Amino acid sequence: MPTSMVAGNWKMNTTLAQAVELAAGVRDGAGSLAGVDIVLCPPHISLQAVAEAVRGSAVKVGAQNMHFETTGAFTGEISSAMLKEVGCTYVILGHSERRHLFGEAETMINKKVHAAISGGLLPILCVGELLGQREAGETEAVIERQLQEGLSQVGVEKMAAVTIAYEPCWAIGTGKTAAPQQAQEVHAFIRKTLEGLYGRSLAQESRIQYGGSANPGNAAELLEQPDVDGLLVGGASLKGKDFLAIVDAAG
Ligand code: 13P
């Protein structure tokens, strides 16, 4: 089993001062929590300060997005090298908010996955169905396509750098968590799909996180599922105490 990972996606919810304070609290509280990879994903503008705040601790830093080109005329965008330079280890790619609010398509997300790995970052590739797709019985087809297209031309060696996050869109920020059994069913399907693409051993070692209204009250039950290897936490990661309680549940 892979080591479990709990990542906090702060989205566009922290100022610089709030981000540094939150990061320092997680750093101090995480000291005694072993066996879990902890990642904080603040807004881009706070990445460097958060990386400095957690330097020397086990807490890692991730970005919420990046561009697929390395340099050039791409107003408003940020490259993998820039993220590395300020202390990022991870980068979230294909988050449902990027897909559905900003129109990111599979081909773009796939380019980002390649660029992140080439740039020495570890991508957290998000997949997940919309409510209507679930109700229409399309969940597996949607997830399979997102995996196939998002990971197109990503070979076995590169794939070792990738974490998958299953984030059902209907559970994000809604307070409606997927039932542990629902999450497990999709996670098992993701692992089976990875096995088809990459073989059994890589599929077994791949880390598959769940995200969508995870909180201290439901974390343990979700993490007990055999194919849930960690959590990608939004709202509850904005409160240091709650985030640390979730990390504790993963340990
Ligand atoms: P919530 O935990 O707020 O539902 O957000 C989940 C998420 O989108 C993490 O990336």
Side-chain angles (χ1 to χ4, degrees):
M1 277 295 283
T3 320
S4 60
M5 173 163 93
V6 177
N9 176 5
W10 298 349
K11 308 191 180 183
M12 200 176 74
N13 289 313
T14 51
T15 64
L16 176 61
Q18 288 166 340
V20 170
E21 191 184 337
L22 193 48
V26 171
R27 174 202 63 205
D28 294 344
S32 55
L33 302 171
V36 184
D37 288 340
I38 305 171
V39 185
L40 303 180
C41 304
H44 280 147
I45 199 157
S46 303
L47 283 167
Q48 185 169 10
V50 166
E52 274 164 25
V54 301
R55 185 181 296 153
S57 77
V59 179
K60 299 279 191 288
V61 178
Q64 299 174 17
N65 183 28
M66 58 169 260
H67 191 60
F68 53 82
E69 293 290 354
T70 50
T71 178
F74 302 102
T75 300
E77 295 290 339
I78 302 228
S79 73
S80 61
M82 296 171 194
L83 296 177
K84 278 288 278 189
E85 189 182 21
V86 297
C88 280
T89 304
Y90 291 87
V91 59
I92 298 172
L93 296 175
H95 189 278
S96 80
E97 286 144 24
R98 299 300 318 169
R99 291 174 187 267
H100 299 295
L101 301 177
F102 299 100
E104 287 196 12
E106 299 300 344
T107 46
M108 179 190 275
I109 295 164
N110 177 244
K111 284 185 191 175
K112 292 184 178 195
V113 171
H114 283 279
I117 300 169
S118 306
L121 293 169
L122 305 174
I124 300 171
L125 173 64
C126 301
V127 296
E129 80 286 2
L130 295 162
L131 181 59
Q133 292 169 328
R134 172 163 282 265
E135 286 172 350
E138 294 167 4
T139 299
E140 293 193 351
V142 169
I143 303 286
E144 187 172 28
R145 182 177 46 76
Q146 289 174 337
L147 289 172
Q148 282 170 347
E149 296 183 10
L151 296 171
S152 175
Q153 304 300 319
V154 175
V156 177
E157 266 172 48
K158 281 188 165 182
M159 186 59 200
V162 179
T163 295
I164 303 294
Y166 170 55
E167 297 210 311
C169 300
W170 46 271
I172 297 178
T174 58
K176 280 189 207 152
T177 323
Q181 188 50 38
Q182 274 177 320
Q184 168 57 26
E185 274 168 22
V186 180
H187 281 234
F189 176 75
I190 291 171
R191 210 177 293 285
K192 198 179 98 195
T193 305
L194 293 178
E195 184 173 334
L197 293 170
Y198 295 103
R200 190 171 160 75
S201 101
L202 188 131
Q204 290 303 318
E205 282 157 28
S206 289
R207 193 147 55 178
I208 308 171
Q209 292 183 295
Y210 167 81
S213 300
N215 62 46
N218 59 31
E221 234 189 336
L222 286 161
L223 289 159
E224 267 168 24
Q225 303 304 311
D227 289 300
V228 176
D229 307 314
L231 298 170
L232 181 52
V233 187
S237 70
L238 295 169
K239 290 188 190 135
K241 208 165 138 266
D242 286 359
F243 185 68
L244 287 167
I246 294 171
V247 173
D248 199 20

